[in-house]
Amino acid sequence: MTEHRRRPRRRGQGELEALVLSALSEADGPASAGWVQERLGGDLAYTTVITILTRLLAKGAVTRERAGRSFAWTPASDQAGLAAHKMRKVLDAESDREAVLASFVTGLGLDDERLLRELLGRAKGERED
């Protein structure tokens, strides 16, 4: 009989980014990639943490500053900001923005539709001020 090794569960798209961003938000200030790796329980390779931080930097979700030979990382956005960035990226990739937005809005539940209307009303009021 052969022994089957269990493979670790594959994380969903964006799940690692959310975990890293969450860990960074718990730091008292700028944090090293090693600190983030420790905070996440050491399950991720250091290079994986660096890759995720670099992706978050490209998305504007984190900033970094030189700290010796490495970097210290700070969240520039929260998980909601990261999700909003992803939504804008999807929208920007489509040629018919109106159709995409219309489909999105008609698929919302009543509570989400009500919330979206409130948020749009507030945003409109802020622009008029």
Side-chain angles (χ1 to χ4, degrees):
M1 276 191 148
T2 60
E3 183 179 320
H4 294 284
R5 294 194 324 175
R6 290 185 183 211
R7 294 168 95 170
R9 176 184 76 81
R10 185 161 174 89
R11 292 179 174 89
Q13 183 179 12
E15 187 177 347
L16 287 177
E17 290 178 350
L19 287 171
V20 167
L21 202 54
S22 178
L24 270 181
S25 68
E26 295 171 7
D28 292 332
S32 69
W35 184 90
V36 172
Q37 181 190 25
E38 268 182 39
R39 187 74 179 177
L40 295 175
D43 291 347
L44 298 176
Y46 179 81
T47 54
T48 302
V49 174
I50 290 291
T51 298
I52 294 164
L53 286 166
T54 303
R55 287 179 184 165
L56 289 169
L57 180 67
K59 294 176 181 181
V62 298
T63 61
R64 70 180 181 188
E65 58 190 53
R66 188 56 85 174
R69 292 180 19 184
S70 131
F71 292 101
W73 304 83
T74 306
S77 178
D78 57 9
Q79 290 181 9
L82 185 58
H85 173 81
K86 289 176 185 176
M87 292 168 70
R88 282 189 301 275
K89 189 174 177 183
V90 168
L91 185 60
D92 289 344
E94 296 298 323
S95 59
D96 190 349
R97 295 174 74 89
E98 183 177 346
V100 173
L101 287 170
S103 181
F104 176 75
V105 170
T106 57
L108 292 175
L110 290 177
D111 289 340
D112 287 336
E113 183 181 339
R114 193 174 304 114
L115 178 59
L116 182 57
R117 288 181 190 280
E118 282 178 30
L119 292 170
L120 288 170
R122 279 190 235 154
K124 182 179 178 185
E126 290 173 6
R127 282 191 212 118
E128 292 173 354
D129 287 343

